Amino acid sequence: MTDTTTQHFARAIEPGALKELRDTDDAGRPCAPFTDDEGGAPLRCCLRRSEPGERIALVSYAPLRRWAARTGADPGAYDEQGPVFLHAEECGGPSSGAGHHSLTSAGSLRVVRRYSAAGRILGGRLIEVPGPADATDAAFEAAFRAAFTDPDVALVHIRAVEYGCFFYEVRRP
């Protein structure tokens, strides 16, 4: 169960961006769906792990670039793109129970990277995922509270240390 004190919510990739990524990804490559025989891929469209047999795609995604296009920011060299998994077809999005624990495994490493309204990196914090859902949600919530004490922080991205993958975005409550 998700910790009820959570104030910062994981934001899945927005539906408009998902539609575009299911055609052509942010590196200009066509989407190449496949059947996930094993399951377990972290899906950024609905913030859960894939189930065996689901049709998914691995695409290149540039979250800061897309955010900057909406806000007028210029991230410059901080404009990153990286791999993300998503359902090959439209899905229902995140369930009401999706929390910070939904895409993590005990012992995995995540970085909470802080960005200014101009799109510049303001620092980050490394989190080793503790394991149980409520402990994981509490660890992330503490990192978000700390990040947003800085008034210059506009949003944070959660990324995997192991592969550099973007997991989700959190904005100021």
Side-chain angles (χ1 to χ4, degrees), residues 6 16 23 38 42 46 50 90-91 106 109-110 115 125 136 150 155-156 158 162-163:
T6 299
D23 179 48
E38 296 179 18
C46 54
S50 64
E90 188 175 333
C91 68
L109 300 174
R110 300 291 177 259
Y115 292 92
R125 179 175 176 180
T136 296
D150 180 345
L155 70 148
V156 298
I158 309 311
E162 300 90 338
Y163 298 100

Side-chain angles (χ1 to χ4, degrees), residues 42 49 100-111 125-131 136 139-140 158-163 167:
R49 298 274 179 179
H100 306 295
H101 63 275
S102 301
L103 297 175
T104 58
S105 303
S108 59
L109 300 174
R110 300 291 177 259
V111 78
R125 179 175 176 180
L126 180 65
I127 294 178
E128 182 172 351
V129 177
T136 296
F140 278 100
I158 309 311
R159 289 187 174 267
V161 173
E162 300 90 338
Y163 298 100
F167 269 77

Side-chain angles (χ1 to χ4, degrees), residues 2-12 47 94-100 137 140-141 144 148 156 158 168-173:
T2 303
D3 181 358
T4 57
T5 63
T6 299
Q7 296 178 8
H8 301 92
F9 299 96
R11 298 174 61 93
L47 302 180
S95 70
S96 60
H100 306 295
D137 286 348
F140 278 100
E141 186 61 29
F144 300 142
F148 289 118
V156 298
I158 309 311
Y168 57 88
E169 177 180 295
V170 173
R171 295 184 189 165
R172 198 173 280 284

